[in-house]
Amino acid sequence: MSTTTEPVIVIVPGLRDHVADHWQTLLGDRLAEAGRTVLTVPPLTEDALSREARVAALDKVVSEAEGPVVLVAHSAGVITTVHWARGSTAQVRGALLVTPPDFDTPLPEGYPTPETLGEHGWTPVPRSPLPFPSVVAASSNDPLGTAERVAALARDWGGTLVELGEVGHLNPASGYGPWPRAEELLRQVEAG
């Protein structure tokens, strides 16, 4: 059980869901080994592209947490989080929002088109301030969202922008498994 000084960590994966060698998975494992309570939004077995289903899955996990939570979201998990935040009254201490994609512009081949994302409820992406503090970590060479567009999202959400440099989409394809800076940024989020 979590105490008020140690909120439950909720991992919110992107559309590719749980990946064993992803920094989010590795972070969750390290935190759990250190005695933290870590919950992960599970992969969807149906409606995998449905924004509504992903928001419901996040809401279910948060509702199972005892006490306040800190959200750790990556990629489309960030967009899930901001959609979820519009209707949630959960006690959220803060969120680490890493490399949000720009769903308003075409993504690289192999990703859903803007039209498909719109049909599944992802757009428009909410731009109003989040009801909790956030750190938005941005890559200067993310193929899924330019640094300028991500900076605008961070500003609109009321988040603190952290520029990471050239880290791609900060996923295994970009060379990240382990990402030690995640723990530093998570401490920043938890400190408020």
Side-chain angles (χ1 to χ4, degrees):
M1 178 158 78
S2 180
T3 67
T4 57
T5 58
E6 284 198 335
V8 173
I9 304 299
V10 175
I11 305 288
V12 189
L15 293 178
R16 299 190 192 269
D17 289 314
H18 182 85
V19 177
D21 58 348
H22 194 284
W23 68 264
Q24 274 184 309
T25 306
L26 300 171
L27 173 67
D29 292 346
R30 280 193 309 278
L31 294 171
E33 288 169 9
R36 297 293 300 268
T37 302
V38 179
L39 303 175
T40 300
V41 177
L44 296 178
T45 56
E46 296 179 8
D47 301 322
L49 196 53
S50 167
R51 188 257 321 150
E52 185 177 312
R54 289 191 178 266
V55 166
L58 172 55
D59 195 57
K60 182 177 186 307
V61 170
V62 170
S63 71
E64 293 169 355
E66 295 183 23
V69 300
V70 168
L71 305 165
V72 177
H74 176 256
S75 191
V78 173
I79 309 305
T80 300
T81 299
V82 297
H83 277 287
W84 170 81
R86 292 183 310 164
S88 174
T89 59
Q91 187 181 0
V92 178
R93 287 257 182 97
L96 174 56
L97 307 174
V98 181
T99 60
D102 180 3
F103 280 173
D104 293 322
T105 61
L107 300 173
E109 189 174 329
Y111 290 89
T113 64
E115 296 76 25
T116 299
L117 292 167
E119 290 167 7
H120 287 88
W122 291 98
T123 56
V125 171
R127 302 292 288 249
S128 56
L130 294 172
F132 44 78
S134 64
V135 169
V136 180
S139 170
S140 62
N141 66 339
D142 189 342
L144 302 187
T146 66
E148 295 80 18
R149 297 283 293 195
V150 173
L153 289 171
R155 184 176 52 253
D156 292 347
W157 295 333
T160 299
L161 179 67
V162 174
E163 297 175 359
L164 303 174
E166 294 184 357
V167 296
H169 194 54
L170 202 70
N171 58 5
S174 300
Y176 293 87
W179 180 44
R181 189 149 184 217
E183 291 183 63
E184 170 194 330
L185 293 173
L186 181 57
R187 285 191 296 274
Q188 182 179 336
V189 169
E190 290 184 298

